[in-house]
Amino acid sequence: MGSVNLPKAYDFKEVEPKWYSFWEEQGFFHADVNSDKPSFSIVIPPPNVTGQLHMGHALNNTLQDILCRYKRLKGFEVLWVPGTDHAGIATQNVVERELAKEGKTRHELGREAFIERVWTWKEKYGNIIINQLKRLGASCDWERQRFTMDEGLSRAVRQVFVRLYREGLIYRGERMINWCPRCHTALANIEVEGEEREGAFYYIKYPLEDNSGHVVVATTRPETMLGDTAVAVHPEDERYRHIVGKYCILPLVGRRIPIIADAYVDREFGTGALKITPAHDFNDFEIGQKHGLEVVQVIGPDGKMTDDAGDEYVGLDRYECRQKIVEDLERKGFLEKIEPYVHRVGHCYRCKSAVEPMISMQWFVKTKPLAEKAVEAVRRGRTRIVPEKWEKDYFNWLENIEDWCISRQIWWGHRIPAWYCDSCGAITVDEKDPDVCESCGSSQIRRDPDVLDTWFSSALWPFTTLGWPEETPELKRFYPTSVLVTGFDILFFWVARMMMMGIHFMKDVPFYDVYVHALVRDAQGQKMSKSKGNVIDPLVMMENYGTDAFRFTLAAFAVQGRDIRLSEERIEGYRHFVNKIWNASRLVLMNLDTSETLMDLPEKPENLVHRWILSRLQSVVEEVDKALESYHFNEHAGVLYQFFWHEYCDWYLEMIKPDLYGDDEYRKRLAQAVSARVLEKVLVMLHPIMPFVTEEIWQKLPQTQGSIMQAQFPQVEENRKDPIAEAQMKLLQDVISGIRNIRGEMNIAPAAKVNVVCRYHDEEDRDLLMEYGYLIRDLAKVDGLEIVSISEGDKPEVAAGAVTEKIEAYVLLEGVLDFEAELKRLQKEMAKIEKELELSKRKLHNEDFLSKAPKEIIDKEREKAERLTAKFKKLREHFEQISGYVDR
């Protein structure tokens, strides 16, 4: 008999690159627009060209790949569009740091040379993350890879800008914006991250002009007082009603500023008197506009004090100025007190510098008309957000949306297609570079130096990557896309904006479903960060444990709406599952006769064991299908793990060994055929999560053709569903498990054979035990098996029993167990556990431990105490049970 021998150990380092290259060479990732199959399409959330694969990318792309591989197996024509984002600020920062090492700046290089330098950097390093995605097994259509600044997307971005401008949805205006002094650019509101910081409240006396006293204001930013142009109080605040309309003198500056009344002021906050600095606070700007206040800018774009701050402070960094201001206020008697105060400070999402609110001339998208349609699309179910809980955040943001600042004061990015006329002041916006002003015909025009926000081009990603503005076959066939898989952190940055742009330009939603996955945290639930030293590197995990084990871990813990708590130990644990699949497949394959074709399976095999596994397989197919269609990736992984390890391996393969190794040729060939067919179908269902090991084994299976990527996803065979077989098998499993548990609890030597009495109620159960008693003998190490009716007499006296739903099984202990020795062992074990339990209880009653130890340590100790208590109780029960035997 010829057989297939898999190597003893699975070598993922050899297997993974071999099959990935094979898939690419065979064109299995490439979508055919002319195919008559149903369509399924996804666009990748484009990683930054500066990026290295981190845990967020790994989770996101693993889930996308699972869906794409699953849909291919289901007979869909799948397009997964890959690409990268030019990441304006991030990429420019990287290249500027490189220049700094050479002692140069971008300004010394000049704009054109600097942009050329960035393109050179992009060509050299920009594909690192693409290769890392391939290492992850991502089955993207690499022939259709896009870049947000490639020629086609650049043309599309420019057309979108021009159209929106001509429709009145893009405008230029002077408004309060968030400014990053480090990146030297404007930021949209959602690019500002609020962080809790320990600061202080400074209480400053503003003398009244008529010398009748002073008003005290409280501020966290005393350096901005140099730009104050009013003090505001609530119109109904009795404390200040008498000074409304008067003037006070700005300390250190001597400027005369009015005291105004405005309902915006919170009477309960601080002193109830608010300093108004229209140039450096969003709310102050609005109050200033309302009351016609002067705007005095005292902090410049570089974060340093301007000429308007006065001779003593000009040129100082804003924080240096704060220190000097406080010293001067104290020295001159204007500082009443300082109180500690924790408040939220806005930081740049890229460089983490504190942002500065600043009035600036910028370009904006008028978002409200676009947002209304994006809200309506989700409310009407044209796009579904999963889990549904994220819809509330989506609606809240879009219904309270502010105009989007889209201009950035950097060089790397899509340059704004606007030209200013020095002759008449008009603005020319066009898809092609103009030679003259469209208003007056003057050639004295200059281009806006700013570039567009990176998220502007990203918002067009679902349709521009498919060829828009051209009417390409890809656009007609694959738009709208089927699903977007994304993290909740870019629900507003990206998803909402894609909805707005997709609906506006394509007159249809960009995707039918949005699946929002959670964060990957460490085992304690902490966010991963380099400073905490708890970052798990996906590349290291794949190198150490293999890609399949890593992907399976991510899927197994991807519960909807719950963050993933990841540890290296968990990944290592699922490496054991990969080995289990390998070893089980090895067992099946080595027992196949390659010189013969597998026999056709009878509809209802005579042997219960085969009927049971084939019936269970149908339920698994249904559950896996349902899980993937509803984005329950953890259930997909969990169902297959449970079925393969704990049903197919632990029970089925063990139960068919007598047939595989026996002399009955028919039973042998049936066992070979069923074991191979079930393995084949499980491999196909596992393939979306574990692409590499499944392909390697698939290639060794008899009667499989081509790649597993070309296989058909299993379909439910209704005629193989057999609830009676499942119920009968459960009875046998309960009896075997009961006997095994007794052996373990009674410390019976693993090799020792035991005698068992099984008592039944129903005659059909007796028949089952009689027919399949050999399974009980083999799997529970039973020598004598007596099967009697419960009505025939009392249960055995010196025996340990396991009572199942329908059968009572008793292991006879005389001659198997040394009762005296076992009592001594139990006493010793109980004493040891009692000592551990006492130490644990002492800890949990120690106030010092409870007040100082981290919550996870305390929870761990509580779990330990509960575990020890349960174990002690179990040991005492055994002790009392065996003592009873001795007393007899």
Side-chain angles (χ1 to χ4, degrees):
M1 171 177 122
S3 62
V4 177
N5 288 315
L6 287 179
K8 273 193 175 182
Y10 172 59
D11 184 357
F12 63 83
K13 290 185 179 179
E14 179 196 335
V15 167
E16 291 175 7
K18 174 180 76 176
W19 290 121
Y20 197 87
S21 297
F22 171 75
W23 295 327
E24 275 201 286
E25 287 162 10
Q26 296 299 312
F28 291 151
F29 304 161
H30 185 65
D32 179 5
V33 291
N34 298 313
S35 160
D36 57 4
K37 296 177 183 177
S39 299
F40 179 84
S41 55
I42 291 187
V43 289
I44 198 171
N48 292 349
V49 285
T50 56
Q52 296 277 336
L53 191 76
H54 58 59
M55 212 43 89
H57 294 131
L59 171 65
N60 181 270
N61 286 283
T62 294
L63 299 184
Q64 288 180 84
D65 194 50
I66 288 170
L67 291 173
C68 289
R69 288 179 183 272
Y70 165 67
K71 287 294 183 178
R72 287 190 192 99
L73 296 170
K74 293 283 283 185
F76 284 76
E77 192 63 41
V78 174
L79 172 61
W80 183 9
V81 180
T84 50
D85 194 292
H86 67 278
I89 296 173
T91 308
Q92 178 157 318
N93 283 347
V94 168
V95 178
E96 283 197 79
R97 282 198 294 271
E98 277 197 355
L99 284 174
K101 290 175 189 172
E102 301 168 17
K104 298 175 186 172
T105 67
R106 66 178 163 113
H107 298 286
E108 289 168 353
L109 216 59
R111 183 167 191 143
E112 295 307 316
F114 176 76
I115 290 171
E116 203 173 295
R117 177 75 177 252
V118 182
W119 274 109
T120 303
W121 182 93
K122 184 261 175 189
E123 293 308 313
K124 189 173 180 182
Y125 298 107
N127 276 328
I128 287 176
I129 196 161
I130 294 297
N131 294 326
Q132 291 169 343
L133 288 172
K134 290 181 178 183
R135 175 82 173 80
L136 185 68
S139 59
C140 299
D141 189 340
W142 299 111
E143 295 174 45
R144 290 186 169 99
Q145 184 176 331
R146 302 303 301 264
F147 175 55
T148 50
M149 279 180 62
D150 68 29
E151 189 180 338
L153 266 66
S154 295
R155 189 169 63 252
V157 167
R158 189 153 170 175
Q159 187 172 132
V160 164
F161 184 95
V162 172
R163 277 178 57 177
L164 289 175
Y165 178 77
R166 288 174 180 167
E167 290 167 5
L169 293 171
I170 281 182
Y171 65 92
R172 188 169 182 254
E174 194 170 55
R175 288 183 50 185
M176 176 70 70
I177 51 99
N178 296 291
W179 180 267
C180 176
R182 158 66 185 80
C183 298
H184 297 286
T185 185
L187 299 172
N189 289 347
I190 58 172
E191 292 174 319
V192 178
E193 296 176 344
E195 291 180 18
E196 295 286 333
R197 288 292 171 93
E198 288 185 8
F201 245 151
Y202 301 88
Y203 290 80
I204 305 167
K205 300 173 189 173
Y206 284 46
L208 297 174
E209 184 187 38
D210 61 7
N211 295 319
S212 61
H214 61 261
V215 60
V216 177
V217 302
T219 180
T220 58
R221 303 192 65 202
E223 68 277 12
T224 63
M225 66 166 287
L226 302 173
D228 287 0
T229 54
V231 169
V233 298
H234 195 280
E236 295 171 9
D237 194 331
E238 295 295 336
R239 295 172 296 174
Y240 300 118
R241 188 170 283 179
H242 67 289
I243 62 170
V244 172
K246 290 188 176 185
Y247 286 82
C248 57
I249 305 300
L250 186 61
L252 306 182
V253 178
R255 185 161 61 241
R256 177 177 180 261
I257 60 175
I259 298 168
I260 61 175
D262 196 288
Y264 167 79
V265 180
D266 182 352
R267 286 172 279 187
E268 307 302 318
F269 188 71
T271 64
L274 184 69
K275 60 187 278 307
I276 303 298
T277 321
H280 298 288
D281 182 274
F282 282 90
N283 297 313
D284 290 7
F285 176 75
E286 296 300 328
I287 292 170
Q289 293 285 295
K290 188 169 154 187
H291 293 272
L293 299 177
E294 185 185 358
V295 177
V296 180
Q297 185 173 333
V298 293
I299 300 173
D302 56 0
K304 293 182 178 179
M305 308 310 287
T306 66
D307 290 342
D308 283 338
D311 294 340
E312 288 190 52
Y313 307 108
V314 66
L316 288 178
D317 172 82
R318 52 187 167 160
Y319 296 113
E320 291 173 344
C321 182
R322 178 180 299 179
Q323 191 176 342
K324 181 163 172 47
I325 290 275
V326 172
E327 288 169 1
D328 291 349
L329 287 170
E330 193 167 24
R331 181 167 47 81
K332 295 183 178 182
F334 292 118
L335 190 64
E336 185 175 90
K337 62 178 177 177
I338 303 174
E339 288 180 347
Y341 180 63
V342 176
H343 61 131
R344 288 182 76 76
V345 178
H347 288 77
C348 172
Y349 79 113
R350 280 293 173 205
C351 72
K352 308 306 176 188
S353 300
V355 300
E356 194 62 53
M358 198 169 287
I359 295 170
S360 177
M361 184 67 78
Q362 301 288 342
W363 289 90
F364 296 87
V365 173
K366 196 181 289 181
T367 48
K368 283 205 184 299
L370 301 170
E372 286 165 4
K373 291 178 182 175
V375 167
E376 182 189 24
V378 174
R379 287 210 189 279
R380 292 196 171 183
R382 287 163 58 204
T383 291
R384 184 173 62 124
I385 299 177
V386 182
E388 196 178 337
K389 69 170 189 171
W390 291 110
E391 285 187 4
K392 184 180 176 184
D393 298 86
Y394 173 85
F395 292 141
N396 185 51
W397 189 71
L398 282 173
E399 285 166 354
N400 296 283
I401 198 168
E402 295 178 5
D403 284 357
W404 173 15
C405 176
I406 55 168
S407 43
R408 298 291 179 270
Q409 289 65 50
I410 57 174
W411 289 350
W412 173 245
H414 296 281
R415 195 165 175 183
I416 291 172
W419 285 259
Y420 305 112
C421 180
D422 291 332
S423 301
C424 72
I427 300 174
T428 299
V429 172
D430 207 337
E431 288 178 37
K432 294 181 179 177
D433 292 3
D435 296 318
V436 296
C437 169
E438 67 178 9
S439 292
C440 71
S442 169
S443 61
Q444 298 301 304
I445 56 173
R446 54 192 164 80
R447 189 169 185 177
D448 193 308
D450 293 352
V451 300
L452 288 165
D453 176 9
T454 297
W455 296 103
F456 187 87
S457 51
S458 300
L460 319 177
W461 188 250
F463 56 94
T464 55
T465 52
L466 296 175
W468 188 92
E470 306 301 323
E471 289 249 355
T472 62
E474 286 85 355
L475 193 64
K476 286 178 184 173
R477 168 136 196 194
F478 293 109
Y479 188 94
T481 61
S482 308
V483 60
L484 178 81
V485 179
T486 185
F488 67 83
D489 50 336
I490 54 173
L491 190 60
F492 314 128
F493 273 119
W494 193 43
V495 180
R497 288 166 172 171
M498 282 191 288
M499 287 289 286
M500 291 192 289
M501 294 298 191
I503 293 167
H504 187 75
F505 286 96
M506 294 297 297
K507 308 306 177 196
D508 204 347
V509 294
F511 18 74
Y512 294 122
D513 284 352
V514 177
Y515 176 70
V516 183
H517 61 73
L519 285 176
V520 183
R521 299 181 179 272
D522 70 9
Q524 281 70 50
Q526 299 291 312
K527 192 172 180 180
M528 291 186 190
S529 69
K530 288 179 182 176
S531 60
K532 290 178 185 171
N534 64 346
V535 172
I536 299 174
D537 187 336
L539 296 166
V540 173
M541 294 303 101
M542 289 188 282
E543 182 65 26
N544 291 347
Y545 304 108
T547 302
D548 288 327
F550 176 61
R551 285 168 59 117
F552 196 89
T553 310
L554 293 175
F557 288 96
V559 181
Q560 281 190 12
R562 192 192 306 166
D563 287 345
I564 293 174
R565 293 190 172 202
L566 191 66
S567 67
E568 187 167 348
E569 290 73 25
R570 283 177 167 169
I571 300 164
E572 186 179 11
Y574 284 115
R575 171 72 210 276
H576 299 320
F577 183 45
V578 178
N579 290 339
K580 189 74 174 177
I581 295 167
W582 184 259
N583 292 332
S585 302
R586 191 166 176 268
L587 172 70
V588 171
L589 288 166
M590 71 170 54
N591 281 287
L592 294 183
D593 186 348
T594 54
S595 63
E596 295 182 12
T597 57
L598 291 175
M599 69 181 290
D600 292 333
L601 301 186
E603 186 173 318
K604 292 286 181 185
E606 187 180 324
N607 192 322
L608 165 67
V609 178
H610 300 316
R611 294 201 308 277
W612 164 71
I613 199 69
L614 290 169
S615 179
R616 284 293 303 124
L617 178 66
Q618 309 318 310
S619 298
V620 169
V621 171
E622 279 182 332
E623 289 173 52
V624 167
D625 220 8
K626 183 181 173 185
L628 286 174
E629 290 294 341
S630 59
Y631 309 112
H632 287 94
F633 298 96
N634 62 304
E635 291 177 16
H636 171 212
V639 165
L640 289 171
Y641 181 92
Q642 168 66 28
F643 176 72
F644 191 83
W645 194 312
H646 298 301
E647 295 182 71
Y648 183 73
C649 294
D650 287 355
W651 289 103
Y652 178 71
L653 291 183
E654 293 302 316
M655 287 176 164
I656 65 168
K657 280 179 181 177
D659 289 349
L660 289 174
Y661 304 142
D663 297 327
D664 186 318
E665 193 60 28
Y666 177 80
R667 290 176 73 96
K668 179 186 289 188
R669 291 198 63 203
L670 183 58
Q672 290 171 345
V674 176
S675 61
R677 292 300 188 207
V678 173
L679 175 62
E680 177 187 313
K681 292 182 188 304
V682 172
L683 288 174
V684 174
M685 288 188 285
L686 274 169
H687 175 74
I689 317 183
M690 294 176 146
F692 297 106
V693 69
T694 52
E695 181 73 270
E696 180 71 7
I697 298 166
W698 177 267
Q699 295 292 333
K700 309 292 187 195
L701 283 172
Q703 296 178 198
T704 55
Q705 294 180 345
S707 166
I708 195 170
M709 286 191 68
Q710 297 168 296
Q712 184 181 0
F713 196 84
Q715 293 182 321
V716 175
E717 298 173 79
E718 294 293 337
N719 62 318
R720 296 207 182 278
K721 287 184 177 179
D722 194 335
I724 294 172
E726 291 190 34
Q728 289 176 332
M729 182 55 72
K730 184 179 185 305
L731 185 148
L732 292 172
Q733 289 172 327
D734 287 347
V735 170
I736 293 165
S737 297
I739 296 168
R740 285 172 168 176
N741 289 340
I742 291 168
R743 294 180 65 106
E745 290 165 1
M746 291 298 176
N747 201 33
I748 296 171
K753 294 271 188 175
V754 294
N755 292 317
V756 171
V757 174
C758 282
R759 288 156 49 90
Y760 63 87
H761 289 276
D762 302 324
E763 288 298 317
E764 62 182 30
D765 294 336
R766 181 192 72 85
D767 294 343
L768 182 71
L769 292 172
M770 293 291 286
E771 185 176 356
Y772 294 99
Y774 74 92
L775 293 176
I776 298 172
R777 291 188 185 92
D778 286 349
L779 299 181
K781 298 273 177 66
V782 171
D783 186 13
L785 177 62
E786 188 180 353
I787 300 166
V788 298
S789 170
I790 284 175
S791 62
E792 287 179 13
D794 296 331
K795 62 186 181 184
E797 288 193 356
V798 185
V803 179
T804 70
E805 190 180 336
K806 302 180 83 176
I807 303 293
E808 294 177 9
Y810 294 94
V811 176
L812 307 183
L813 298 175
E814 278 189 295
V816 175
L817 203 61
D818 181 335
F819 296 136
E820 295 293 342
E822 182 61 12
L823 286 174
K824 283 180 185 175
R825 187 190 73 80
L826 288 170
Q827 279 178 318
K828 189 176 177 183
E829 183 72 10
M830 283 192 294
K832 181 188 169 193
I833 286 176
E834 207 166 17
K835 191 175 177 183
E836 284 183 49
L837 188 55
E838 184 56 36
L839 283 170
S840 186
K841 283 180 176 175
R842 253 189 253 157
K843 248 187 189 182
L844 291 169
H845 285 95
N846 184 328
E847 289 300 325
D848 201 40
F849 171 74
L850 294 173
S851 61
K852 291 180 180 176
K855 183 181 180 296
E856 59 264 24
I857 299 295
I858 297 169
D859 289 344
K860 218 174 203 177
E861 196 60 42
R862 285 200 177 109
E863 285 170 19
K864 181 183 173 184
E866 287 168 12
R867 195 169 60 249
L868 290 169
T869 302
K871 192 172 181 182
F872 185 81
K873 184 184 174 188
K874 195 81 173 166
L875 289 169
R876 178 165 285 286
E877 285 171 3
H878 293 333
F879 184 85
E880 289 169 356
Q881 189 178 8
I882 293 171
S883 295
Y885 301 146
V886 173
D887 292 342
R888 287 176 196 166

